[in-house]
Amino acid sequence: MPERTESESRKLLKRLRDTLAEPGAGQERLDRITHLIADSMGSEVCSIYLFRDDETLELCATEGLKAESVHQTRMRLGEGLVGRVAKASSPINTANAPAEKGFRYMPETGEEIYSSFLGVPIQRLGEKLGVLVVQSKQARAFSDDEVYALEVVAMVLAEMTELGAFVGEGEALAALHKQPVMFRGATGQEGSAEGHVWLHEPRVVVTNPVADDPKKELKRLNDAVAELRLSVDAMLTMNDGGDKEQMAILEAYRMFANSRGWMRRMEEDIARGLSAEAAVEKEQSAARARLETVPDPYLRDRLHDLDDLSNRLLRILTGQGADTGAEMPPDPILVARNIGPAELLDYGRRLKGVVLEEGSVGSHAAVVARALAIPLVIHADKITTEALNGDRILVDGDQGIVHLRPEETVASAFRDKIAMQAAAQSRYASLRDLPAESRCGTRVGLHMNAGLIADLPSLAGSGAEGVGLFRTELQFLIRAHVPKRSELVAIYARVLEAAQGKRVAFRTLDIGSDKVLPYMKRVEEPNPAMGWRAIRVGLDKPGILRMQLQALIRAANGRALTVMFPFIAELDEFRAARRHLFEEIERERHLGHALPAKIEVGAMLETPSLAFAPAEFFETADFVSIGGNDLKQFFFAADRENETVRRRYDMLNTSYLTFIEQIVTRCTEGATHLSFCGEDAGRPIEAACLAAMGLRTLSMRPASIGPVKHLLRRISLTELRGVIDAARADGAVNVRAQVMTWLSAQDI
């Protein structure tokens, strides 16, 4: 067979475009296309396999194989040569198909007489859509030009599939972006919400994959790339001397924008008949496919950079900017691959929920979502590929599940759940001004966590007695530079004013690990959660710590001030941090500034080591707050960012409860006030058990205060402690079963 020329490739694409333009149903178009491709490539067979579900391919059209096998022949992902092409997202080209590893003969197709096989994936931006195959009786390998031509055709088929050109009967020909889809991710922030999708980065739609004039398309591509390079250079200039990590990303952008290999491949695609947009997207799809197979995190980041750069180039070519003119729905649920804290705060409380493909439970986005009290699901793989603006969506932050375009039965059950939660919250509102006092007369102080001034209105409405944790890092995370001391003074003063005399415990800057400031040089660490973070950063780089302490003292302006230092692991760290605070108080005294009327200095107990600190620590600290999230991960050696292990260990494990009991004893001996702050404090059963073990102050998100108070007021903590002690005496590894049995027997 003669080698295909670029001109012949363009002819094939033009014939394909003309065929697609003809009227007809999806099946008719597919049948015409297989005939066209087989004829153009001089092969006896052309077949199109499409996915009917995530794991199953279906033969949807063929020229050359038995007609009765259409919609009857199916194979699993990875099964046979077709399944291997789909799984690996890469072509298979062989002169002797039956001898190829993994070959599976499909007798109903009549393909036993064909020796040569060429299969290429039909995919778009990492989304597997199907496989395009040509076969011949002659035992020969297809040429590189033929492979390339078929890949270009497959790319056009992917675009047309995306645009709904092949809709017909059956699962494999079902319209894309129309069917219900469930995504199982992970909980970033609890809560439930129903709304409509609002894409943070709306998808670019390529409506003209085939072009007639390669010279014109090359000029469009070169002009767009020149504009892209200028914009990247401008971003580098603006960021010069700023965040080193951001600079590294922009340098990677510049490297790709000036890559001759990248340009050459897109120019070749255009020469073979693709439009400039389609050529960019073809390379972007290839990068997305490589992403799935690259284990090295550095290389994955670079491929992400290329993906982002391709999106920028597509927006220049199509004019489809971030502002598409679409109107945000009244109940928006944000869907994104990832998002920064400042961008998320820009959306603010308009959002009903957030769904991310990436993220982590301790990420900036999760911190902001908690502050905004909106449900967040992370690790919802490929949702940005499937979701469209305006799609109905249900977010179950409690279970880490997302329902996109749900069936009515699912939506109805979900609405019932939300209604029950709303009714419960309404009942809890009647408890707002009542104390969290158990039937045995034990009183527990319930405080709220906050990180934004916008959180403070919840202080009165939730019934919280104060703010047990005010996260000060949010004001640092959402800025491109270190905030000025005067800005911090104003923010902290407004927090204290909004609290109206109630206690606010300001936690000093807790950065590092997964919370890296945009203007701070990132330190590469093998285990950042146990690395240079929180007070370790503050003591090693005391400038920001002292500036923050000055701002807190000035914001108090004669009012009471409560300061706690995060991630204290030993007495010396607390001594040093406390010394910095009192040195700043002396400095403010010399300057003639008003001093706090009362000052409390405490520490977060997040490492087991601090529980065994010398007695001096407990005697010196005015209070200790157990940071339950970190303490649990270090106690069980289970990374809270690792979904495989983070849910493996339960707070009601007897070893952990015994450890909590030891901390209570140490604080009682030192006359040190003790509180518990973390996700478990906001879960009614866990909160009750913490109170039974001796905790008298719990801090949680505002929405949890009502449910926790409701349970505490209906049980006897003395009796619950007896249940826990009896289970421990019996050698129970975990007391949850015994506690649940006891609770079910109570009149609650």
Side-chain angles (χ1 to χ4, degrees), residues 416-434 461-462 684 703 705-711 713-714 748:
D416 288 344
K417 175 182 176 179
I418 292 177
M420 289 174 64
Q421 291 175 337
Q425 287 294 339
S426 179
R427 291 197 304 273
Y428 301 146
S430 65
L431 304 176
R432 185 184 62 190
D433 298 323
L434 299 176
S462 66
I705 290 175
V708 169
K709 184 183 289 187
H710 175 76
L711 180 60
R713 287 180 56 84
R714 299 172 74 88
I748 56 175

Side-chain angles (χ1 to χ4, degrees), residues 258-563:
N258 289 280
S259 167
R260 280 305 309 155
W262 187 47
M263 281 297 294
R264 185 184 67 253
R265 290 191 297 273
M266 292 188 292
E267 288 166 354
E268 289 174 352
D269 293 332
I270 289 172
R272 280 175 157 80
L274 290 184
S275 67
E277 292 91 334
V280 173
E281 194 167 278
K282 182 174 181 293
E283 288 307 303
Q284 187 179 14
S285 290
R288 286 270 183 102
R290 290 196 296 272
L291 261 175
E292 294 186 358
T293 62
V294 174
D296 182 79
Y298 176 80
L299 291 178
R300 287 182 65 86
D301 284 344
R302 297 292 72 80
L303 286 170
H304 270 314
D305 294 339
L306 179 57
D307 193 32
D308 289 339
L309 197 69
S310 299
N311 276 331
R312 290 174 183 269
L313 185 55
L314 279 171
R315 294 191 189 287
I316 293 171
L317 280 166
T318 62
Q320 297 175 32
D323 184 4
T324 62
E327 186 174 341
M328 182 182 284
D331 52 359
I333 289 179
L334 188 73
V335 174
R337 194 175 80 193
N338 215 336
I339 190 170
E343 294 171 303
L344 188 50
L345 278 170
D346 283 343
Y347 286 106
R349 295 184 186 276
R350 289 180 295 171
L351 298 178
K352 300 296 182 183
V354 179
V355 182
L356 301 178
E357 287 189 357
E358 299 176 2
S360 65
V361 294
S363 66
H364 303 163
V367 171
V368 174
R370 290 185 199 114
L372 295 174
I374 54 177
L376 166 67
V377 171
I378 56 177
H379 304 160
D381 191 36
K382 295 185 179 179
I383 191 169
T384 58
T385 305
E386 179 63 41
L388 295 177
N389 268 341
D391 280 344
R392 180 162 292 282
I393 185 171
L394 311 176
V395 180
D396 186 341
D398 303 323
Q399 302 296 322
I401 292 173
V402 178
H403 296 278
L404 184 66
R405 300 183 292 270
E407 294 177 343
E408 189 52 39
T409 53
V410 174
S412 178
F414 192 84
R415 291 183 194 117
D416 288 344
K417 175 182 176 179
I418 292 177
M420 289 174 64
Q421 291 175 337
Q425 287 294 339
S426 179
R427 291 197 304 273
Y428 301 146
S430 65
L431 304 176
R432 185 184 62 190
D433 298 323
L434 299 176
E437 185 173 326
S438 69
R439 286 184 172 178
C440 59
T442 304
R443 185 163 180 168
V444 180
L446 303 184
H447 295 240
M448 62 173 269
N449 301 330
L452 298 168
I453 295 173
D455 293 334
L456 271 299
S458 300
L459 186 55
S462 66
E465 297 176 32
V467 178
L469 166 65
F470 190 89
R471 306 179 185 93
T472 62
E473 58 269 13
L474 281 179
Q475 285 72 42
F476 288 79
L477 288 170
I478 62 178
R479 286 172 165 77
H481 53 78
V482 180
K484 296 178 181 177
R485 181 177 59 191
S486 58
E487 293 174 327
L488 293 179
V489 171
I491 291 168
Y492 300 153
R494 286 170 61 193
V495 170
L496 289 169
E497 288 162 8
Q500 298 181 346
K502 291 185 177 179
R503 180 178 181 269
V504 178
F506 289 95
R507 182 179 69 188
T508 60
L509 198 57
D510 186 2
I511 55 171
S513 185
D514 50 9
K515 292 183 290 224
V516 180
L517 301 180
Y519 39 84
M520 173 182 169
K521 181 178 180 180
R522 189 182 189 100
V523 178
E524 294 300 329
E525 300 178 281
N527 192 342
M530 300 177 73
W532 196 55
R533 54 175 290 200
I535 198 62
R536 297 170 181 176
V537 178
L539 295 178
D540 289 351
K541 303 284 187 180
I544 291 182
L545 174 62
R546 296 180 75 99
M547 184 266 283
Q548 188 180 23
L549 293 173
Q550 292 166 15
L552 286 167
I553 295 165
R554 293 185 186 184
N557 194 28
R559 289 173 288 212
L561 176 64
T562 301
V563 178

